Amino acid sequence: MRARWTLSLRARLSLFALLGTLPALFIILYNTLAQQQVVTAEAGREARNLVRLAIREQERLAAQTRQLLAGLSSHPAILDRGQAGRCQRFLASVLDLHPYYTNLGAAGRDGDIYCSALPLKRRVNIADRRHFQQTLKTSDSSIGEHQIGRITGKSAINMGHPIKAADGTVAGVVFVALDLSWLNQLLARIDLPAGAMLAVIDRRGTVLAHHPDPHRWVGTRPADSPLVRAMLARAGGGTGEFAGVDNVPRLTAYAPLDDRPDSSVYVAAGLATDRIYRQTREILARNLALLGAAVLAVIGAWIGADLSIIKRVNALTAATGRLGRGERGVRTGMPHEGDEIARLACAFDDMAEALERRQAELG
């Protein structure tokens, strides 16, 4: 006869108690995951809004700068290369009105600067600068990369605009150097949640502006930063969880400063993941605590069942075994009033008593 595998009553009660907690655990985990997805989506929207806000602030300055450069490119003082002193005085007066620029100047197609708001002490050529090259290539205004000015010696990012000759060809480039501290002031104006960051990074991975702690990060090139690698790999922008240049994990959105194919500046905004998911973790901990209390209640019920059911069932089993071995006068010793087990004990004791009388009559 094939042996049948069975569970004891205690094991079955324990299994039923465990199965009773699994649906609650599944619901808690499912709700936590769903809430985390909602929180992540909301945080992603907030990060993208911060990026758009930062871009708007910088676009305002960039549009103002383009307008200034367009006006300068057609000014007689710029077009007349034979009047270097007049041109220098003119640009110096313009620079005085714009404290967020470190210098203004103009260069010919060969890259030699022939006019500068700051006096030239030697020949300076900018033919290798990106803003100069892109302006000549596109015949349109262009933003460069982080650089140390060859005239000012300061960190800046340059913008260039074409100087057109009478026949419409590009005769040179008028440029402006934007002080990076001004970019940081623009970012600092934006109200950030605790633990968040804003950054402006060029296509070489150099940090042009960073809020907070600009003094720590501006001018650095953390090429090993996952955020920088992602930004440079996806020029069109995106959203994801990355460690920033400060190695703090954040849910970060990033996008180019403008939609031109040659855009060389990117803006990123990140929200600290530990703060994003803190509320979700607190709710999960609270629900698990409630589940733990329920499990403790089940354990208490199991202990109660062990005392009130299993021990009495075992007593009945032991009495049955003794009766089966021929012992006379076997009784359960259990009360005969109460629940079903008490009635079963009463029936057993009545049966044992009847068997004892019958044996006495026969014997």
Side-chain angles (χ1 to χ4, degrees):
M1 184 175 181
R2 181 182 297 177
R4 296 181 61 187
W5 181 77
T6 59
L7 290 175
S8 67
L9 181 58
R10 178 183 281 115
R12 275 179 281 178
L13 288 173
S14 301
L15 180 61
F16 291 151
L18 176 63
L19 292 176
T21 63
L22 288 180
L25 179 61
F26 173 78
I27 292 172
I28 289 173
L29 295 178
Y30 177 81
N31 287 339
T32 300
L33 179 61
Q35 185 174 19
Q36 183 166 314
Q37 291 174 341
V38 171
V39 169
T40 301
E42 184 177 343
R45 285 192 295 270
E46 184 177 356
R48 288 189 291 272
N49 287 338
L50 285 173
V51 167
R52 284 191 286 267
L53 181 59
I55 287 176
R56 268 201 306 272
E57 289 289 328
Q58 293 171 79
E59 279 180 339
R60 192 176 295 119
L61 179 59
Q64 178 182 338
T65 301
R66 289 191 188 99
Q67 186 176 5
L68 173 64
L69 289 175
L72 293 177
S73 68
S74 59
H75 196 279
I78 298 293
L79 296 176
D80 187 0
R81 297 183 58 170
Q83 298 290 328
R86 176 193 174 196
C87 182
Q88 189 273 325
R89 289 191 297 273
F90 167 66
L91 288 185
S93 66
V94 175
L95 183 61
D96 287 340
L97 299 175
H98 299 85
Y100 34 87
Y101 301 139
T102 60
N103 196 19
L104 294 159
R109 286 190 61 90
D110 58 0
D112 282 342
I113 295 177
Y114 64 84
C115 181
S116 170
L118 299 180
L120 294 172
K121 299 178 180 179
R122 65 186 187 284
R123 174 178 172 269
V124 178
N125 187 281
I126 58 171
D128 60 331
R129 299 296 202 188
R130 177 177 170 79
H131 70 280
F132 180 84
Q133 295 172 348
Q134 289 298 114
T135 300
L136 291 183
K137 179 180 178 181
T138 63
S139 297
D140 197 0
S141 58
S142 179
I143 301 178
E145 302 162 330
H146 172 265
Q147 63 182 51
I148 304 298
R150 289 170 179 158
I151 299 174
T152 65
K154 297 179 179 179
S155 292
I157 180 170
N158 283 22
M159 289 184 63
H161 189 84
I163 301 172
K164 298 289 184 69
D167 60 359
T169 60
V170 178
V173 173
V174 61
F175 65 87
V176 60
L178 176 62
D179 191 345
L180 293 186
S181 65
W182 192 261
L183 272 183
N184 286 286
Q185 291 179 42
L186 286 180
L187 295 190
R189 280 194 239 166
I190 299 175
D191 188 22
L192 294 182
M197 73 87 194
L198 279 169
V200 181
I201 298 174
D202 71 14
R203 70 185 186 96
R204 294 185 299 181
T206 304
V207 179
L208 306 180
H210 194 282
H211 179 58
D213 303 324
H215 59 280
R216 182 178 179 186
W217 301 111
V218 171
T220 63
R221 192 181 296 176
D224 58 339
S225 165
L227 171 60
V228 173
R229 289 201 301 269
M231 290 176 68
L232 300 184
R234 296 184 58 188
T239 305
E241 289 190 22
F242 307 102
V245 298
D246 54 2
N247 289 322
V248 175
R250 293 184 177 91
L251 180 64
T252 304
Y254 54 92
L257 182 59
D258 55 52
D259 56 3
R260 301 183 184 192
D262 65 338
S263 179
S264 60
V265 178
Y266 304 88
V267 179
L271 304 175
T273 53
D274 64 330
R275 294 181 180 272
I276 293 174
Y277 302 129
R278 178 177 298 171
Q279 183 179 4
T280 304
R281 290 196 300 267
E282 289 175 352
I283 293 175
L284 175 61
R286 192 159 53 242
N287 289 338
L288 289 177
L290 291 174
L291 180 61
V295 170
L296 289 176
V298 169
I299 292 174
W302 179 84
I303 294 173
D306 188 56
L307 294 174
S308 64
I309 297 175
I310 296 176
K311 284 190 175 181
R312 292 192 292 163
V313 170
N314 289 339
L316 276 171
T317 303
T320 302
R322 290 168 58 197
L323 184 63
R325 290 192 294 271
E327 293 186 29
R328 297 184 179 183
V330 175
R331 302 292 186 272
T332 62
M334 296 166 55
H336 291 175
E337 295 182 357
D339 57 13
E340 290 82 354
I341 296 179
R343 292 198 294 272
L344 181 60
C346 179
F348 178 88
D349 289 342
D350 290 345
M351 179 190 68
E353 185 178 350
L355 286 175
E356 187 178 11
R357 283 197 308 269
R358 186 179 181 90
Q359 287 178 350
E361 292 172 356
L362 295 174

